[in-house]
Each structure stands twice: as C-alpha cells, then as structure tokens.
Amino acid sequence: MNTISPIDLRSDTVTRPDAEMRQAMLQAEVGDDVFGDDPSVNHLEALAAERMGKEAAVFLPSGTMANLVAVLSHTQPTDEVLLGNESHLFNYEVAGASRVGGVQLHPLPNDASGGLADEDVRTAIREPNIHSPRTSLLCLENTHNRCGGSVLPLTKIQTLSRIAHDAGVRVHLDGARIFNAEVASGTTTADLTATVDSVSFCLSKGLACPVGSLLCGSSELIERARRERKMLGGGMRQSGVLAAAGIHALSHNIERLAEDHENARMLAEGIRRIGTFAMEIPTTNIVVLQVLEGARDDWLLAFKKAGVHASAFGTGRIRMVTHKDVDTSSIEEALRRIAQAAVAVG
Ligand SMILES: Cc1ncc(COP(=O)(O)O)c(C=O)c1O
C-alpha cells in the first residue's frame, strides 16, 4: 500500500483554512445576511468593493454563482453574451447562463494570453434588428485558467472594454484569480478592473478560504444581483462565519501569492527537464503540461501512484496548480516523484 502523503496539485481550491483563519471565523460577529444584518458580510462586501474600485459588492457561495448572477444582472433572456472559447464560463459552468438566464453564449477564439482579438469582438457585436439576439454582454477572464493562468494585459482589457461600451455592450470580468494577476503584473486590482462594469473574484482559490466569491459593480447592478442571488438560493444567513475568513484572507493571503507563482515556475522548469511534456513557463500559479509521449490518463495514474495529484485538462493536457498548502520543499519532492513516475511510464 502507498503510504506517502500525496502532494495535491489538482487545484488551488484544495487549501484548508489555517489556524489563524479558523480563529477569525470563530470570533466572527454574525447576523442574518438576507436581512442585511450580518456585520462581517457587510464589512467584507465593503472591502471587496474598495479593492475593485466599485460602488458595491455582494457575497456569494461560489465563483460559478457569481458569474451566473453577473450574467443574469446584465442581460435579458434571448440576449447574446460574447466570451472566449477557452473561458471558464463557457467550458465549466454547465451552460447555466443559457439554462437559467436564457441567453445565447457566443464563443470567440482566445489567444494565448486569454485575450480576444479586437476585430473578432467588433464584428461579433450584432446590429440591432428584429431577427438577431441583442448583444448585451462581453465576458473576460483574468487570470485565464485554460490559458495557463496567463495575465490578461491591462491594455487589452481597456481596448476590449472600449469596443464593447462604444456599442452599448457591458463588460463582466471573471476575476476568480484577479489577485494572482495583481501580484504577477504589479497592477492593482482597481486598475485592472477600472473599465469593466462588473468583476467577480474567488476567496476559495489562492486566497485559501473554505468558501466564497464576491461580485462587484455599481450600486444599481449589485441591487439587482442580490435579487438574482436570492432566486438561485444563494442568500445565506449567518454567513459572517465565512465572510470572516475572507476578511482575514484579504489582509494576509494576497502578497504570498508570489510564492505560489515562484513554485509554479520551479515546477514547470523541473518538469521541462524530464522532456516528455511541452509547456509554457507560467507567470502565475497554473502549470499546463502537454503530453508528448504516452497517454494522458496513464501519466495521471503514474503521478498519482508516485504521490502527486494532478488533473486532466482537455485532450493530452494535464494541469498542476500551486497553492498555500504546498511549499517549496513540497514542490522539490513533487519533482522527485514526477521523475520516478517518468521512469515507471518510460
Ligand atoms: C476562472 C474561473 N472562474 C470561475 C470559477 C468557478 O469557481 P467555483 O469553483 O467557486 O464555482 C473557477 C473555478 O475553478 C475558475 O477557475
């Protein structure tokens, strides 16, 4: 039997709240948030809005619900939403926007940085007529998960926002890992999100909270979002216990994301030396391996047997994500185990 403890690189969502975060949760002041009475949730929402440079924010159970609530709050059924063909919203949210929001999702090719070509967006925005869906929303993602945690350049966000706004189209940013973008680029989240109409971000990824996401935007948008959240069953009661973890994370777990980025770079450089995989050296915390020899699932199994958990990430692709619960020495150990797996498969 394999008794070594696994190094879990499947996602940055696997982190467990540390002792200080649990202490903050234990001490949280709470109330009924559906009545707007929870002081910890109110405090977290104010902090989130401030960090994103927006008027207001609403606390939600997950990034998926935050994106769905954003789509519901910006659109009407039969509208069309433009988004990247590699985006999380398009690939991993069970088409909830179509099912619940009744919108048509119109994917455009993502480039390597997770961006979209200006011309593609311009030509995809439909002219109003009685035949076509109304293009009402453009969704962007930063950092970009399926594009290897790439940071969407600020100038790209600004240009795409201008193209959308000139045509009366709103912009939502899926910023599940926006703080990774801030730390990697040195540009503040408020600057990265200044031209978008809404931004969602996750507490439960690199920020290492057990639960939670925030959607930020104008007061008017967030008022509508609160109704949509309630409709989806996302209105929580004494959720200050969870918000307290978020408040703690915003002041303790952002700068440390730089360590995750450094560990991801070290991991990618080490795996590259093995030679069986092609990959970009990441700028944030996501390493995507393209399998050059052998079958992806055989590799995943060999990694698992050697004590490294990774995840399938599309045809011939494997994802490894660094996070707060794997330090540099765990990455060194992961590289030793991956080398053993390569011998076993080889
Ligand atoms: C870019 C992106 N957006 C949204 C989500 C959804 O977040 P959640 O798992 O909290 O629903 C994820 C989760 O991995 C993500 O990577």
Side-chain angles (χ1 to χ4, degrees):
M1 204 176 76
N2 192 351
T3 51
I4 56 169
S5 71
I7 298 169
D8 196 345
L9 300 175
R10 286 172 302 167
S11 176
D12 45 9
T13 56
V14 301
T15 50
R16 294 183 172 88
D18 60 21
E20 292 79 29
M21 184 177 280
R22 285 171 195 252
Q23 196 55 35
M25 295 172 78
L26 190 67
Q27 289 170 349
E29 261 192 88
V30 295
D32 187 328
D33 179 51
V34 173
F35 290 115
D37 284 351
D38 191 301
S40 302
V41 172
N42 294 342
H43 183 39
L44 174 65
E45 289 178 346
L47 285 176
E50 190 189 333
R51 290 299 291 242
M52 301 296 146
K54 302 293 177 205
E55 283 173 1
V58 60
F59 186 41
L60 294 127
S62 69
T64 301
M65 195 187 284
N67 282 337
L68 178 54
V69 164
V71 170
L72 293 172
S73 304
H74 283 297
T75 64
Q76 301 294 333
T78 77
D79 281 0
E80 187 168 61
V81 175
L82 307 180
L83 76 185
N85 64 343
E86 297 290 350
S87 64
H88 196 277
L89 226 160
F90 185 59
N91 290 285
Y92 298 125
E93 301 188 8
V94 206
S98 300
R99 171 150 189 188
V100 184
V103 297
Q104 175 162 289
L105 297 179
H106 180 158
L108 302 171
N110 271 123
D111 62 28
S113 71
L116 303 168
D118 301 352
E119 206 40 42
D120 286 351
V121 173
R122 236 182 244 114
T123 51
I125 297 174
R126 297 175 194 268
E127 287 177 15
N129 61 51
I130 64 161
H131 311 285
S132 307
R134 185 178 70 116
T135 311
S136 56
L137 185 65
L138 168 68
C139 293
L140 304 174
E141 184 175 316
N142 195 16
T143 63
H144 202 289
N145 179 29
R146 277 178 68 88
C147 293
S150 54
V151 177
L152 191 57
L154 178 61
T155 50
K156 190 45 128 177
I157 306 172
Q158 291 169 333
T159 308
L160 292 178
S161 301
R162 185 167 32 75
I163 292 169
H165 290 153
D166 285 351
V169 171
R170 304 242 202 129
V171 183
H172 169 66
L173 178 68
D174 174 355
R177 297 186 180 83
I178 190 78
F179 288 106
N180 294 86
E182 176 179 88
V183 167
S185 66
T187 307
T188 65
T189 48
D191 284 340
L192 288 168
T193 61
T195 59
V196 302
D197 301 288
S198 61
V199 52
S200 53
F201 73 88
C202 291
L203 297 170
S204 55
K205 299 196 164 62
L207 300 191
C209 295
V211 179
S213 282
L214 287 117
L215 176 67
C216 312
S218 67
S219 303
E220 195 189 343
L221 182 88
I222 298 304
E223 209 179 299
R224 182 164 171 196
R226 285 187 194 284
R227 267 184 76 75
E228 306 293 1
R229 176 184 70 166
K230 190 69 178 59
M231 180 190 74
L232 296 173
M236 299 179 284
R237 300 297 178 170
Q238 285 71 35
S239 38
V241 174
L242 304 173
I247 294 165
H248 177 84
L250 288 178
S251 52
H252 293 86
N253 289 350
I254 293 178
E255 285 78 20
R256 63 150 309 283
L257 292 171
E259 292 165 35
D260 298 347
H261 300 174
E262 182 52 27
N263 284 337
R265 194 184 56 74
M266 191 176 129
L267 180 68
E269 284 174 354
I271 297 175
R272 184 180 260 182
R273 282 194 283 276
I274 297 172
T276 319
F277 306 97
M279 82 204 66
E280 297 295 323
I281 301 300
T283 50
T284 64
N285 67 331
I286 298 178
V287 181
V288 180
L289 317 183
Q290 183 73 47
V291 177
L292 298 178
E293 290 164 35
R296 180 198 69 187
D297 291 350
D298 291 346
W299 279 108
L300 281 169
L301 193 61
F303 290 160
K304 195 171 175 185
K305 279 188 184 153
V308 175
H309 292 193
S311 46
F313 207 46
T315 312
R317 299 206 314 163
I318 290 173
R319 186 182 79 160
M320 294 181 179
V321 186
T322 56
H323 52 79
K324 184 169 176 294
D325 290 358
V326 283
D327 59 12
T328 304
S329 63
S330 305
I331 295 296
E332 285 163 357
E333 176 58 22
L335 283 169
R336 279 191 285 276
R337 294 180 186 183
I338 290 166
Q340 276 167 24
V343 172
V345 172

